[in-house]
Amino acid sequence: MTDQLSLTFSALADPTRRAILAQLTQGDATVSELAQPFLNEMSLPAVTKHLKVLETAGLITKTREAQSRPCKLNGEALKVAADWVEQYRIFWEQSFDRLDLYLQTVTAEKKGKKNVRKSKNTSTANAAKSK
């Protein structure tokens, strides 16, 4: 059996399904309304298959009202995926912060060495002038 997070990411992997979810952020829509932008590229049954994948993943809910089948976005399923990704965002931010500190240290050390060299060169030059 596939876990819910795997179903969610599998559903999100397809650009058509992501476009359908983007449409649903504007509000509920019928299957026909959701299919409209894709009908030049694919058939209504193909769009319906995409909707089924989204529904199985829990990303949308499809209901029946008389003749139409309105679909709505299920934000909770997206939140689970976002929470999972958030862990890794925090990890990478902390890693970049550590890298930034390291680079600041290395840069400061290099500047310190240059200043030491400059003062040695200046001292040597001043000593040569005084002779």
Side-chain angles (χ1 to χ4, degrees):
M1 181 173 166
T2 306
D3 66 290
Q4 191 59 43
L5 197 56
S6 296
L7 288 172
T8 299
F9 283 116
S10 178
L12 292 173
D14 186 273
T16 300
R17 293 192 283 266
R18 290 193 306 270
I20 290 169
L21 291 176
Q23 278 183 264
L24 288 171
T25 63
Q26 304 303 311
D28 297 359
T30 64
V31 170
S32 299
E33 292 168 337
L34 292 171
Q36 193 61 43
F38 306 104
L39 292 179
N40 290 335
E41 304 163 16
M42 64 182 77
S43 66
L44 181 59
V47 174
T48 303
K49 286 181 183 179
H50 283 293
L51 291 171
K52 185 65 179 167
V53 171
L54 291 168
E55 189 176 23
T56 300
L59 295 169
I60 66 169
T61 306
K62 200 170 10 169
T63 58
R64 180 179 272 247
E65 289 179 11
Q67 304 295 80
S68 68
R69 293 186 179 249
C71 299
K72 72 181 209 175
L73 189 62
N74 179 5
E76 188 57 36
L78 286 172
K79 184 179 179 332
V80 171
D83 290 346
W84 185 85
V85 170
E86 178 68 10
Q87 302 170 69
Y88 296 95
R89 184 192 63 77
I90 291 169
F91 166 78
W92 281 109
E93 279 183 1
Q94 291 170 347
S95 296
F96 288 134
D97 289 345
R98 286 191 303 273
L99 177 60
D100 187 43
L101 286 172
Y102 172 74
L103 292 174
Q104 287 175 12
T105 303
V106 170
T107 303
E109 287 174 3
K110 283 185 178 183
K111 283 182 181 177
K113 287 180 182 178
K114 282 182 183 177
N115 289 339
V116 168
R117 275 190 233 137
K118 280 183 183 177
S119 64
K120 282 183 181 178
N121 290 340
T122 305
S123 299
T124 307
N126 288 339
K129 283 181 185 177
S130 57
K131 287 185 180 181

